[in-house]
Amino acid sequence: MALDLTGQPLIDQLNFDQLLASGAFGAWSEQAQTLHRDGYCILQPRSDTFQAMIEAVVNDLEPLLAEPLMRWESGEEGPPRIQDGWLQHHSVRALALEPDVLALLAQLYGRQPFAFQTLNFAVGSEQHFHSDAVHFHSYPHGFMCGVWFALQDIEIESGPLHYFPGSHRLPYLSAHALGLTPDAIKTEAHPQTLFESHWREAVTARGFRQERFLARRGDVLVWHANLLHGGEQVLNRKLRRWSQVVHYFFADCLYTTPMRNFDSGQGGAFLRNPYDLATGTCRYSPAAWRELGFTPLTSASHS
């Protein structure tokens, strides 16, 4: 594995072409090219147990979502999801730690990845397109990514995932960058909406084209921290779109929530101490956190 020596993920470095020619990405060269150019790549893990892992996740979570799905079908509620199901379900944790995914991320980024959050969906999310980098990011920039596991074949009417190739090269955003105040964020029930007009304008101004991901069961999509992506409208609420999203950080960084990053007079950067799914503990111990010069951990630090 090539190492990051510049404070940038390998797939973001200016000498990417030289790294590619030198064989720095090993067996993952095709994925490295696509992630660098378009902001996403696709793989199919090679493990003989991968399909069984997928089936285990669906079997574990389907009973939990039976009633919410009935309310979703009748229009009483929005699309249900399970956040951080890895805490209760070994199957969710095992999928998040799939060896081929971890190997690919280490090779493409030049640092060791660790999973810190899982989201499971039975139907399409219908989310407005967005960049994950406003929700969680890193110092240095770029050491975060999302991975989407298709747990079944996806149909057009089930509200597939969509994304805008090339949009990962847009500037990273924060509350501070858009001139948002702590009060504006605090009083908005869904703060992401404060960023959405900016993303719509950027898509129009740069002429980004939208693509759908009509995945087959077992397809895995990796997206760059800043790729704009969302969920299409669900046209048939009887259809399922079982999927698992895992967010990964990388070693030797500080981790932050840019949606809550302000200038120094308004509180400065919102640092977080994320969980590492592999260990079940926060990435930094209280002692290590103090050694970095930060105040003791609070519940907000690892939200």
Side-chain angles (χ1 to χ4, degrees):
M1 180 185 76
L3 295 177
D4 156 50
L5 299 175
T6 69
Q8 278 188 307
L10 297 182
I11 49 96
D12 283 340
Q13 292 189 12
L14 293 176
N15 67 336
F16 173 83
D17 290 339
Q18 289 88 344
L19 288 169
L20 185 67
S22 73
F25 301 109
W28 307 112
S29 292
E30 181 179 344
Q31 284 84 2
Q33 284 181 283
T34 309
L35 187 59
H36 172 77
R37 181 186 67 237
D38 297 328
Y40 71 91
C41 66
I42 300 170
L43 71 149
Q44 290 85 27
R46 300 162 292 186
S47 167
D48 292 338
T49 63
F50 183 59
Q51 291 296 328
M53 293 167 66
I54 286 174
E55 187 172 356
V57 172
V58 177
N59 288 343
D60 282 350
L61 301 186
E62 195 166 24
L64 301 179
L65 290 179
E67 290 188 12
L69 285 169
M70 290 176 61
R71 293 192 291 272
W72 151 252
E73 288 181 8
S74 66
E76 297 174 52
E77 291 185 1
R81 71 179 191 177
I82 295 175
Q83 181 168 331
D84 289 325
W86 68 273
L87 289 165
Q88 289 82 32
H89 300 282
H90 173 76
S91 60
V92 174
R93 179 179 178 273
L95 192 59
L97 300 178
E98 204 289 320
D100 272 358
V101 172
L102 295 177
L104 176 140
L105 296 181
Q107 196 84 42
L108 270 54
Y109 281 78
R111 297 190 186 189
Q112 290 299 321
F114 67 95
F116 69 92
Q117 185 196 67
T118 63
L119 296 167
N120 287 89
F121 301 86
V123 296
S125 69
E126 296 192 328
Q127 282 184 304
H128 188 284
F129 60 84
H130 61 281
S131 163
D132 285 345
V134 303
H135 293 282
F136 14 72
H137 204 198
S138 64
Y139 299 121
H141 284 169
F143 285 104
M144 195 285 294
C145 70
V147 177
W148 193 89
F149 296 82
L151 308 186
Q152 69 174 100
D153 294 348
I154 307 302
E155 303 177 49
I156 290 179
E157 292 186 333
S158 66
L161 182 74
H162 64 241
Y163 42 80
F164 295 85
S167 61
H168 63 303
R169 297 302 176 197
L170 290 168
Y172 288 112
L173 294 182
S174 66
H176 175 57
L178 290 189
L180 299 172
T181 65
D183 283 345
I185 296 295
K186 183 184 294 186
T187 56
E188 173 55 58
H190 303 285
Q192 179 182 290
T193 60
L194 300 176
F195 294 76
E196 290 171 0
S197 63
H198 180 91
W199 290 321
R200 289 194 295 270
E201 291 167 6
V203 164
T204 300
R206 298 286 292 272
F208 293 123
R209 72 187 188 284
Q210 179 180 299
E211 291 185 0
R212 294 190 187 102
F213 185 41
L214 293 178
R216 312 310 294 170
R217 174 180 159 130
D219 284 348
V220 178
L221 181 80
V222 178
W223 65 72
H224 188 281
N226 207 32
L227 182 74
L228 293 177
H229 64 282
E232 303 249 313
Q233 182 182 359
V234 177
L235 301 178
N236 182 348
R237 293 197 175 204
K238 296 291 185 182
L239 291 176
R240 300 293 175 253
R241 198 205 71 172
W242 282 101
S243 61
Q244 177 164 313
V245 175
V246 186
H247 292 109
Y248 297 83
F249 280 132
F250 292 79
D252 303 319
C253 296
L254 291 177
Y255 312 104
T256 183
T257 303
M259 190 178 284
R260 299 183 183 278
N261 286 355
F262 306 100
D263 64 31
S264 57
Q266 295 178 309
F270 184 97
L271 297 177
R272 56 195 292 149
N273 187 18
Y275 282 107
D276 182 339
L277 271 66
T279 65
T281 62
C282 290
R283 190 66 181 180
Y284 289 104
S285 69
W289 197 251
R290 285 192 293 269
E291 287 178 8
L292 290 171
F294 301 124
T295 55
L297 298 176
T298 66
S299 58
S301 299
H302 34 81
S303 59

